[in-house]
Each structure stands twice: as structure tokens, then as C-alpha cells.
């Protein structure tokens, strides 16, 4: 059985990627170097995974994550097996996650999984005979979005330390926020401005984990978007996560709390960047897309490149 990831091991063989902290800061940097080399010379990598098969098992809707993994694998010369609609698979017959993973692990060399239940990816990894990547488990973690986000920050700001980072929107259920905030908290000189309605504040457990990270991270919380726009290096906007609300009424009450407009962008620093994991609903008005600080579509493309780097490393032979 494959053990948990060893953050110090130079050898990637036998590892899974379940939480954003499964990779050490130098391992993130190593993947960014590979992603940069892919960006500069994609043809050098187009046969890298010939003969390899990746399975994507998505128990929750996805466009970006699934397609970017599939595009990544295909651009490396590998092939893809996909179960996008789990309702039409054996899961509908009552098959357990463990059995599905053991079976699919017998067909494919790598599994990417998304599941609505928190902790499902960690459980699946216990049964996976091949590397397993968490493509999002409920509201908990989304580590490859963190890889994407860190690579984007590295690309646009040239550093991952000494940053004021504002997160805005659904900080309670936003798994991309939970993963990214933990990974950034390991860097030095980080200040977070957390902007959300009272009901959607960052969970206390995550806040405590971040504060206990030992790197002297500072946290300020606010319900006003303006507090995040002023002197931030990066504003990370998120969607209010409709599917995680228990009732429609609460969702409707909160969904339009924050809308980033060209008017509000005037308050942001000249060199601040605006990121979003996408999909965007109403929280960023389409006119903001013209602003050169809005880099979310570039962020999505960088996500494919860094996923290519991750696939290469996880599939490396012993
Ligand atoms: C995010 C997710 O699924 O958590 N999307 C993504 O993977 N790019 C964010 C979201 O759904 O709002």
C-alpha cells in the first residue's frame, strides 16, 4: 500500500497528492521549474507520457479541473479514461469507493478524483494501487488548484514571500481558499485579509492551523471588500458555493454580497493581481476582464502547464 506523501523525499515515486501541504515549498518550486520548461518548449514534452493512462473519476461537476488534467495528459502523449457522470457508472449500483478505486487502479497508471465528501480522497488513497490526485474533496481541499495558484503568483509577482493577500467571498466552503491559505502560510512575510459575510467566514480550525504554522503570518478579517482592495498584492475572488448551502434562501441572501467592478478596481494597487479559480458567477463583473490586473484566464492556462509537471513527476519510474 502507498503511504502518505513524504514531503522530504526527492523521489516522487509512490506518492499521492491529497492536501496542499503534501508537497514541501522546494517541491512546489521544482514543479514550477518543470512547468516553465514546458511553457518554453512544449514539443520537448509531447511524448513524455506515451503509453500511460490516466483515469478521471469525478463524483461532482467540473469543467476546468477535469479538462485541464485531460488536456495536460494528452499534451504529454498519454491517454485518458473518464467517468464524468458517476450516476451512470457502477457507483449507482452501490459500489463502494474502495472497490471503484481498486478496480480503476488496475486499468490506469494515475487517478484524478473529485468527490463531494470531505476526506474521500484520503480514504481513496489508502486503496489506490497507483498515484491518486485529489481534484477537490467537498469543502476541504483542492491541492492542484493551489499548485495552479502558487504558480500563477510566482509567474506574475516573481515571489511567494512578502505578500499581502486578500481572499474575498465564500471562505467557509471555498476549498481552493483552504488549500491555498495553508500553503501560503508556510512562506515568510505573509499577511492575509479575509473578506466575507459573517456566515461565510474562514472556519476556525483552518485559521488556527494557519496561525500555528510558525511563520508569523498576520490575519485581518473584514466584511468590507474595500479593506481588501487597499494595499493588497493579490485579490483572490471566489464564488459563493451554492451547492454547499442547505437551503436556497440563505444562498440567495448572500450570493451578491461582493461584486468587483471597474469602479472598485480604482481602489486597488496599480500592480495588484486579481485571481479567481473559476467558474465566476456574479462576483466579478465582465468589464473587469479588460483590466490587465485581471489574470484569471491566464491562471487557468498556467494550471494546465503545472498539472503537466505534476503528472510527469508522479509517473516517473523508480
Ligand atoms: C473551484 C472548485 O471546484 O472548488 N473550481 C475549480 O476547480 N477551478 C471553485 C469553484 O467551484 O467555485
Amino acid at each position: 500500500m502507498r503511504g502518505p506523501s513524504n514531503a522530504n523525499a526527492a523521489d516522487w515515486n509512490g506518492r499521492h497528492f491529497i492536501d496542499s501541504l503534501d508537497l514541501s515549498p522546494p517541491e512546489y518550486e521544482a514543479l514550477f521549474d518543470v512547468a516553465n520548461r514546458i511553457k518554453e518548449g512544449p514539443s520537448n514534452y509531447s511524448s513524455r507520457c506515451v503509453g500511460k493512462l490516466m483515469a478521471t473519476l469525478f463524483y461532482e461537476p467540473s469543467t476546468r479541473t477535469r479538462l485541464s488534467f485531460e488536456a495536460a495528459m494528452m499534451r504529454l502523449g498519454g491517454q485518458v479514461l473518464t467517468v464524468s457522470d458517476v450516476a451512470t457508472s457502477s457507483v449507482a449500483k452501490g459500489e463502494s469507493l474502495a472497490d471503484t478505486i481498486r478496480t480503476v487502479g488496475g486499468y490506469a497508471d494515475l487517478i484524478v478524483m473529485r468527490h463531494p465528501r470531505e476526506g474521500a480522497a484520503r480514504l481513496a488513497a489508502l486503496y489506490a494501487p497507483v498515484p491518486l490526485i485529489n481534484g477537490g474533496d467537498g469543502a476541504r481541499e483542492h491541492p492542484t488548484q493551489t499548485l495552479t495558484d502558487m504558480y500563477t503568483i510566482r509567474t506574475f509577482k516573481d515571489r511567494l514571500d512578502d505578500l499581502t493577500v486578500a481572499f474575498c467571498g465564500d471562505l467557509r466552503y471555498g476549498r481552493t481558499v483552504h488549500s491555498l491559505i495553508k500553503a501560503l502560510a508556510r512562506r515568510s512575510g505573509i499577511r492575509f485579509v479575509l473578506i466575507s459575510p459573517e456566515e461565510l467566514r474562514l472556519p476556525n480550525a483552518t485559521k488556527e492551523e494557519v496561525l500555528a504554522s510558525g511563520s508569523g503570518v498576520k490575519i485581518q478579517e473584514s466584511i468590507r471588500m474595500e479593506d481588501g482592495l487597499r494595499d493588497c498584492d493579490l485579490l483572490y475572488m471566489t464564488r459563493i458555493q451554492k451547492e454547499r448551502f442547505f437551503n436556497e434562501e440563505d444562498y440567495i441572501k448572500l450570493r451578491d454580497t461582493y461584486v468587483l467592478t471597474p469602479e472598485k478596481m480604482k481602489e486597488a494597487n496599480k500592480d495588484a493581481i486579481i485571481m479567481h479559480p473559476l467558474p465566476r458567477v456574479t462576483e466579478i463583473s465582465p468589464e473587469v476582464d479588460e483590466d490587465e490586473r485581471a489574470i484569471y484566464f491566464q491562471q487557468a492556462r498556467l494550471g494546465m502547464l503545472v498539472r503537466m509537471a505534476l503528472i510527469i513527476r508522479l509517473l516517473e519510474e523508480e
Side-chain angles (χ1 to χ4, degrees):
M1 198 185 299
R2 284 156 190 270
S5 305
N6 176 353
N8 296 316
D11 180 8
W12 291 71
N13 201 271
R15 299 205 17 203
H16 304 294
F17 190 32
I18 309 301
D19 289 352
S20 63
L21 300 185
D22 285 351
L23 301 183
S24 66
E27 286 173 334
Y28 273 94
E29 298 287 348
L31 288 180
F32 303 156
D33 288 345
V34 177
N36 282 337
R37 289 201 291 277
I38 296 171
K39 187 159 51 171
E40 276 145 33
S43 58
N44 299 331
Y45 291 84
S46 57
S47 310
R48 198 60 188 250
C49 291
V50 169
K52 298 285 185 190
L53 204 47
M54 177 185 81
T56 53
L57 271 178
F58 278 66
Y59 293 76
E60 239 191 22
S62 164
T63 309
R64 239 150 313 270
T65 305
R66 185 165 66 80
L67 289 188
S68 93
F69 264 111
E70 294 182 2
M73 188 56 166
M74 287 173 176
R75 285 179 182 274
L76 292 168
Q79 287 178 296
V80 175
L81 287 175
T82 189
V83 183
S84 56
D85 183 8
V86 175
T88 58
S89 75
S90 320
V91 172
K93 299 182 189 165
E95 187 178 50
S96 72
L97 180 60
D99 285 3
T100 306
I101 294 294
R102 279 189 284 221
T103 308
V104 174
Y107 305 149
D109 303 292
L110 174 71
I111 299 173
V112 184
M113 187 186 101
R114 169 171 287 187
H115 201 284
R117 216 172 54 233
E118 305 197 359
R122 179 66 70 203
L123 175 74
L126 294 174
Y127 298 95
V130 296
L132 185 131
I133 299 174
N134 179 10
D137 60 329
R140 208 182 67 88
E141 279 260 356
H142 192 347
T144 65
Q145 184 65 44
T146 296
L147 199 55
T148 301
D149 297 341
M150 301 277 269
Y151 183 43
T152 304
I153 301 169
R154 184 107 190 73
T155 303
F156 283 88
K157 302 300 288 182
D158 236 4
R159 65 182 195 276
L160 288 164
D161 297 310
D162 302 315
L163 291 167
T164 294
V165 181
F167 287 95
C168 178
D170 188 346
L171 311 191
R172 177 173 178 187
Y173 298 115
R175 56 190 169 200
T176 66
V177 173
H178 304 158
S179 291
L180 178 58
I181 209 164
K182 287 188 224 164
L184 277 174
R186 291 193 296 192
R187 313 295 307 203
S188 64
I190 300 292
R191 190 167 77 89
F192 293 125
V193 185
L194 306 179
I195 304 146
S196 69
E198 278 300 325
E199 296 89 330
L200 299 178
R201 282 167 69 161
L202 189 74
N204 277 335
T206 312
K207 208 187 311 166
E208 277 154 27
E209 198 179 334
V210 163
L211 288 169
S213 66
S215 55
V217 55
K218 295 191 177 62
I219 295 185
Q220 175 196 339
E221 289 187 279
S222 175
I223 54 166
R224 290 165 18 103
M225 190 183 214
E226 290 69 22
D227 293 336
L229 288 169
R230 236 174 290 125
D231 37 81
C232 75
D233 298 300
L234 143 61
L235 172 64
Y236 193 95
M237 292 296 296
T238 62
R239 172 179 73 90
I240 306 289
Q241 309 263 313
K242 181 180 182 184
E243 65 276 30
R244 315 232 182 265
F245 278 79
F246 290 108
N247 70 69
E248 177 100 8
E249 226 171 278
D250 289 349
Y251 166 70
I252 291 170
K253 194 174 89 201
L254 295 170
R255 75 176 166 197
D256 298 321
T257 314
Y258 304 110
V259 182
L260 186 62
T261 58
E263 199 48 41
K264 292 219 174 74
M265 285 296 290
K266 289 184 189 147
E267 293 179 46
N269 279 347
K270 279 203 303 294
D271 60 354
I273 52 172
I274 312 298
M275 292 172 60
H276 191 307
L278 303 175
R280 168 239 324 248
V281 190
T282 52
E283 60 280 0
I284 302 182
S285 78
E287 301 90 79
V288 173
D289 301 355
E290 307 306 317
D291 192 310
E292 60 177 27
R293 294 170 290 180
I295 56 158
Y296 24 87
F297 294 112
Q298 294 163 76
Q299 181 185 352
R301 174 161 172 82
L302 291 173
M304 180 189 72
L305 296 171
V306 79
R307 286 184 172 104
M308 289 170 79
L310 177 68
I311 292 171
I312 289 173
R313 282 290 170 268
L314 289 177
L315 288 180
E316 239 157 28
E317 302 293 338
E318 251 163 330

